[in-house]
C-alpha cells in the first residue's frame, strides 16, 4: 500500500503543510508516525482521500464540522442510503444559505447602483450650475 509524506500531499493538493496539520488537529486526518521520536508523519491512501474530500467540502463552503461529519460517515459502509440522504440534506441547507447570500448581494448591488446614479445626477447638476455662474 502506498504512503505519502506531508510534503507530497501539500504539493499534490497545492496547500501548505500547516493546513494539513490543522486538518489533523480537527480530527480529519490521522497519520501514523515514524522515525526518531515519531517526527515523520506517514499518510495512507485513506488519509489522502479524506484530505481530498475535506478540500472539496471547503471549496463548496461547508464548515469543518460538516465536512468531518460527512467524511466520518464514509468510514462505515453500513448504510450508504442514510449517508447519501444526510449529504443531500447538508447540500440543500448550504444551497439555501448561498442563494440567500446571492439575493442579499443582488439587493446591495442594486442599492449601490441607485446611489451611484443619484451622485452622478447631483454632480452633473452642480457642474451645470457652476458653468452657468461663470
Amino acid at each position: 500500500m502506498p504512503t505519502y509524506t506531508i510534503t507530497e500531499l501539500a504539493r499534490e493538493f497545492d496547500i501548505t503543510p500547516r493546513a494539513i496539520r490543522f486538518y489533523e488537529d480537527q480530527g480529519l486526518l490521522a497519520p501514523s508516525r515514524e522515525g526518531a521520536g515519531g517526527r515523520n508523519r506517514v499518510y495512507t491512501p485513506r488519509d489522502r482521500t479524506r484530505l481530498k474530500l475535506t478540500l472539496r467540502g471547503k471549496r463548496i463552503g461547508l464548515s469543518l464540522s460538516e465536512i468531518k461529519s460527512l467524511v466520518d460517515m464514509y468510514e462505515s459502509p453500513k448504510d450508504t442510503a442514510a449517508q447519501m440522504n444526510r449529504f443531500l440534506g447538508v447540500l440543500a441547507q448550504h444551497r439555501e444559505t448561498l442563494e440567500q447570500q446571492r439575493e442579499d448581494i443582488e439587493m446591495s448591488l442594486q442599492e449601490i447602483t441607485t446611489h451611484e446614479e443619484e451622485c452622478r445626477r447631483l454632480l452633473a447638476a452642480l457642474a451645470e450650475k457652476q458653468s452657468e455662474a461663470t
Side-chain angles (χ1 to χ4, degrees):
M1 178 167 65
T3 59
Y4 309 91
T5 65
I6 195 168
T7 303
E8 290 169 335
L9 289 179
R11 191 174 299 126
E12 177 180 354
F13 292 105
D14 195 28
I15 58 175
T16 64
R18 183 177 181 190
I20 294 172
R21 288 190 297 273
F22 175 75
Y23 294 139
E24 283 178 39
D25 292 342
Q26 299 303 306
L28 289 158
L29 304 172
S32 60
R33 303 289 188 131
E34 290 182 354
R39 289 180 44 91
N40 299 328
R41 292 169 166 84
V42 179
Y43 298 88
T44 63
R46 173 189 170 274
D47 292 313
R48 184 184 171 279
T49 299
R50 287 178 67 93
L51 178 58
K52 186 175 183 178
L53 292 172
T54 298
L55 295 174
R56 280 185 188 167
K58 290 300 291 175
R59 269 195 305 275
I60 63 172
L62 299 178
S63 70
L64 285 180
S65 62
E66 289 171 322
I67 293 168
K68 183 169 180 356
S69 171
L70 292 169
V71 171
D72 286 347
M73 280 193 303
Y74 288 98
E75 292 297 310
S76 60
K78 295 174 188 163
D79 188 357
T80 56
Q83 293 167 348
M84 288 296 154
N85 283 325
R86 168 80 172 107
F87 188 47
L88 284 172
V90 168
L91 290 176
Q93 183 179 16
H94 193 63
R95 175 183 295 279
E96 184 179 318
T97 300
L98 290 174
E99 287 176 354
Q100 181 61 55
Q101 288 174 345
R102 178 172 43 194
E103 185 178 315
D104 294 344
I105 289 170
E106 288 298 327
M107 287 175 51
S108 294
L109 288 172
Q110 184 57 49
E111 286 181 31
I112 288 171
T113 298
T114 300
H115 290 302
E116 287 173 333
E117 289 169 355
E118 180 66 12
C119 284
R120 286 188 181 99
R121 187 188 66 73
L122 291 170
L123 283 171
L126 184 61
E128 187 176 319
K129 275 186 180 181
Q130 287 176 347
S131 70
E132 288 175 1
T134 55

